[in-house]
Amino acid sequence: MNTTHDSDVIIVGAGPVGLMLANILGMYGRSVTVLEALDDLVDYPRGVGLDDESFRTIQTVGLVDTVRPHTNPQHIMRLVNGAGKVILVNNPQTVEFGWERKHGFIQPEVDRALYEGLSRFDDVRVLFGHQVEHVEEDGDSVTAIARTTGPGGEIEERRFRAHYLVGCEGGKSPTRKRLGVTFEGESPSTRWLVVDVNNDPLGTPNVFLGADPKRPYVSIGLPHAVRRWEFMLHDGETEEQVTDPAFVNALLAEHVPDPSKLEFIRRRVFTHHGRVASNFRKGRQIIAGDAAHLMPVWMGQGWNSGMRDATNLGWKLTAVLSGQAGDDLLDTYTDERKDHAQAMVDLSLTFGKFIKITNPAAAALRDAASSALNLFPQVKSYFADMRFKPMPRYTRGVLADPTTQASGRAAAQLTSRLVPVRTANSTVSPVGVQFPQPRVNTRDAADVLLDDAIGNWWSVLVWGNNPRDLLPQESLDKLEALGARLVAMVPETQREWAERYMGDDVVVLGDHTGRLKKWFDDRPTPIVFLRPDRFVAGACLAQHAPATLDAILAAMAFTGRPASVASQPSLAN
């Protein structure tokens, strides 16, 4: 065997999740080896929906400018019945997290942008044509043994060693199988035919879900003039039959005047799967993306759920590898991601059952009920604004309860009897959910997104005050070791005063839109401890800040080692 190659992390699979995780780790200065069995990235369309949470992660790793050209922002979905009548519209207008809630996208182009983004990092490499055959693990490291073809055509084995291995190799993940965890859920027997074409013959830029009891279908307008159709297949229709050009043309005859003149990209049969692994980590091996959960396509959450995994896992691996946190921090990855992944699977399966009704009487009842519900503005907006989508809320993990300051868990409600809580506009806890991303003004730039102003690691956000005046020196020392940035948020009218008063080590942000003022006005939590993945780890009144910080640090197994000097011994030692 050749010499063993060392890195901090091995990622198996150069799909979107592996590539994003490699970008996050590279951004934080970690060394990464990505091993991909194929000779290149997959070049045909797969996922078609990209949401605002994923775009926020793309922003964090600095790839907005290369990804944005391959997207259709504000992708509207219309559910139509067999007669073509719209019975439901999904068109969320929010930009809560800084970006449009829904985008259509061309996955091969976005994946390529993620791959090319890795060239920025000297210690990140992607090796194609490397099939991982075996994995060896001991107390200090994990070694992947990969088979590859040498320059003369001979088969070689190469060894790669790291502190951790992350399997991002899809639903058949060998990594998951090595972990010995269950992969629970269902694979509905319903099959679908996917047809992708170039030179979109329809030109409509959005999505139609055809709840036609004769044959449910999907029609999606995508960037770069790509059109996707999906048709539900009936029992007895074989794969050979439904991929035959004559059969496909017959399906498309109701959609375009002359299907024979279309430029086809692919015709493929697939079955939806809805499964979630019982655990995402065991020892030094971890799973992410489809390896950890398979999403039915209905909510467009397969790609996005994988991005959430990478976003959650990337900073935690970095904290452990830098010596800032103990290995126990990685157990919170399953605690935080598994329940939401299951919620998205359940919602997608339910939505699919709603669409693919083939019994005419049941379909008529569904259509009538939908029309009646649309008469109520609140119900109509509930679907239009996509409020039915369960947003991630962590109740266990790197958190501190806002009422009790308990470590590692957080209730969804504020229950204190203090007057600021009893009189608050909202007693829904902000802990465990994403902080919004409005635009702000800084000393050096106007109208910038919040994340670009505060950086990509921990932050302490304080409304109207100097963080140094509210926190005791002991807490400030811990925050300095954590590498947290102190941020003061003030109305834009006070920004110049605050910049003079608060000193250079406090980032002052001017709230010129009023969105931050409203957020803090609604909640009795003027101090927010914000994680690198933009989730709120703790939020509290000033006098609860020391206990809240200590609870957060305990939940992340914080070692106290300063961020600037913490490092893990090399595997070569």
Side-chain angles (χ1 to χ4, degrees):
M1 291 186 182
N2 294 340
T3 303
T4 299
H5 302 269
D6 290 345
S7 55
D8 288 330
V9 179
I10 295 167
I11 296 174
V12 184
V17 181
L19 295 172
M20 178 56 82
L21 180 59
N23 271 280
I24 294 171
L25 292 169
M27 173 183 71
Y28 288 134
R30 310 317 308 182
S31 60
V32 182
T33 300
V34 182
L35 302 176
E36 169 56 54
L38 299 177
D39 293 328
D40 201 351
L41 301 179
V42 175
D43 62 356
Y44 55 81
R46 291 163 291 156
V48 294
L50 191 161
D51 67 17
D52 52 350
E53 297 172 65
S54 295
F55 227 106
R56 194 173 188 178
T57 300
I58 291 166
Q59 173 194 351
T60 297
V61 298
L63 294 177
V64 166
D65 290 343
T66 56
V67 168
R68 194 77 163 161
H70 309 300
T71 67
N72 282 342
Q74 213 63 47
H75 217 205
I76 302 169
M77 184 276 288
R78 295 182 178 92
L79 179 64
V80 299
N81 63 17
K85 179 182 177 182
V86 176
I87 57 177
L88 185 151
V89 176
N90 175 221
N91 182 22
Q93 299 295 309
T94 180
V95 287
E96 178 184 6
F97 299 135
W99 303 98
E100 298 86 355
R101 179 131 292 176
K102 295 178 63 180
H103 306 71
F105 79 120
I106 299 294
Q107 182 176 340
E109 298 296 338
V110 172
D111 289 357
R112 179 69 59 180
L114 297 181
Y115 168 65
E116 292 175 351
L118 296 176
S119 64
R120 300 171 294 171
F121 311 119
D122 292 338
D123 290 332
V124 177
R125 58 178 177 166
V126 180
L127 300 178
F128 291 101
H130 280 67
Q131 175 71 50
V132 175
E133 298 284 331
H134 305 286
V135 172
E136 300 170 352
E137 181 178 344
D138 57 34
D140 299 317
S141 67
V142 60
T143 300
I145 304 167
R147 180 168 53 87
T148 188
T149 302
E154 70 281 5
I155 301 299
E156 297 180 355
E157 278 192 348
R158 301 182 67 188
R159 298 176 66 89
F160 301 88
R161 185 172 56 167
H163 292 291
Y164 295 96
L165 180 148
V166 184
C168 304
E169 67 271 70
K172 297 181 180 179
S173 168
T175 305
R176 186 187 66 247
K177 295 173 182 176
R178 283 195 302 273
L179 299 188
V181 298
T182 60
F183 202 35
E184 299 167 353
E186 59 180 286
S187 296
S189 58
T190 308
R191 297 166 303 136
W192 292 77
L193 173 68
V194 175
V195 180
D196 291 322
V197 303
N198 279 321
N199 304 318
D200 185 355
L202 303 184
T204 50
N206 295 302
V207 183
F208 289 90
L209 299 183
D212 186 343
K214 292 184 296 184
R215 189 186 294 271
Y217 67 89
V218 184
S219 178
I220 309 174
L222 294 171
H224 306 333
V226 173
R227 167 68 50 176
R228 167 170 292 186
W229 283 280
E230 299 178 11
F231 297 97
M232 195 178 88
L233 300 178
H234 298 309
D235 293 342
E237 293 176 333
T238 67
E239 183 168 349
E240 181 181 12
Q241 174 189 356
V242 302
T243 55
D244 181 83
F247 185 94
V248 175
N249 289 351
L251 290 179
L252 293 173
E254 290 190 74
H255 295 261
V256 297
D258 189 353
S260 66
K261 293 183 178 179
L262 297 176
E263 183 183 335
F264 290 92
I265 300 172
R266 68 166 181 164
R267 309 174 186 88
R268 183 185 177 194
V269 175
F270 73 97
T271 302
H272 294 170
H273 299 278
R275 296 182 179 276
V276 180
S278 57
N279 201 317
F280 295 178
R281 183 240 177 161
K282 189 174 181 180
R284 294 187 173 271
Q285 299 184 61
I286 305 166
I287 52 176
D290 285 354
H293 39 71
L294 284 172
M295 295 279 164
V297 302
W298 298 111
M299 298 302 300
Q301 288 299 304
W303 199 89
N304 296 297
S305 292
M307 292 301 105
R308 294 187 191 102
D309 291 348
T311 306
N312 187 288
L313 183 58
W315 76 267
K316 293 177 179 178
L317 279 168
T318 298
V320 173
L321 290 165
S322 70
Q324 274 209 315
D327 178 82
D328 289 349
L329 173 61
L330 299 179
D331 290 333
T332 68
Y333 167 56
T334 300
D335 291 339
E336 295 181 350
R337 285 294 306 130
K338 182 177 182 294
D339 288 349
H340 185 259
Q342 185 66 63
M344 290 308 310
V345 166
D346 294 343
L347 178 63
S348 295
L349 287 170
T350 299
F351 196 57
K353 292 174 182 176
F354 180 79
I355 292 169
K356 64 184 185 182
I357 294 173
T358 55
N359 180 286
L365 181 62
R366 173 200 60 201
D367 298 348
S370 298
S371 297
L373 289 173
N374 276 327
L375 297 175
F376 298 91
Q378 286 186 323
V379 176
K380 188 174 182 178
S381 67
Y382 177 77
F383 290 101
D385 294 338
M386 209 170 173
R387 294 201 300 273
F388 57 86
K389 173 188 171 185
M391 298 301 293
R393 170 179 282 280
Y394 303 151
T395 57
R396 295 178 299 141
V398 184
L399 309 166
D401 187 87
T403 302
T404 66
Q405 290 77 58
S407 177
R409 61 183 185 272
Q413 292 288 325
L414 306 172
T415 58
S416 168
R417 298 307 299 165
L418 290 172
V419 169
V421 176
R422 290 191 284 116
T423 59
N425 293 338
S426 174
T427 57
V428 176
S429 170
V431 177
V433 300
Q434 279 196 65
F435 195 78
Q437 186 184 201
R439 290 186 173 271
V440 296
N441 291 338
T442 72
R443 185 194 303 269
D444 301 318
D447 199 43
V448 298
L449 287 167
L450 174 68
D451 295 356
D452 293 336
I454 64 176
N456 59 23
W457 197 239
W458 284 84
S459 300
V460 181
L461 313 179
V462 176
W463 176 259
N465 277 293
N466 185 341
R468 287 197 166 276
D469 291 343
L470 296 184
L471 297 167
Q473 188 59 49
E474 183 180 4
S475 295
L476 291 172
D477 291 342
K478 294 173 183 177
L479 289 169
E480 183 178 2
L482 182 62
R485 183 168 281 186
L486 302 179
V487 181
M489 299 175 161
V490 298
E492 175 59 20
T493 54
Q494 298 179 36
R495 179 172 59 82
E496 291 186 3
W497 164 81
E499 288 168 349
R500 293 192 302 270
Y501 163 66
M502 294 187 185
D504 294 337
D505 60 343
V506 175
V507 177
V508 176
L509 304 182
D511 175 30
H512 65 292
T513 68
R515 288 181 58 197
L516 286 170
K517 178 175 180 288
K518 183 179 187 322
W519 192 94
F520 283 100
D521 183 52
D522 285 343
R523 299 162 180 83
T525 51
I527 296 183
V528 173
F529 296 90
L530 195 63
R531 303 177 355 170
D533 58 3
R534 316 308 182 187
F535 278 77
V536 176
C540 60
L541 295 168
Q543 292 182 0
H544 285 152
T548 298
L549 174 60
D550 288 346
I552 294 167
L553 296 179
M556 71 172 285
F558 183 60
T559 64
R561 299 178 66 177
S564 59
V565 299
S567 62
Q568 189 162 1
S570 169
L571 286 168
N573 292 343

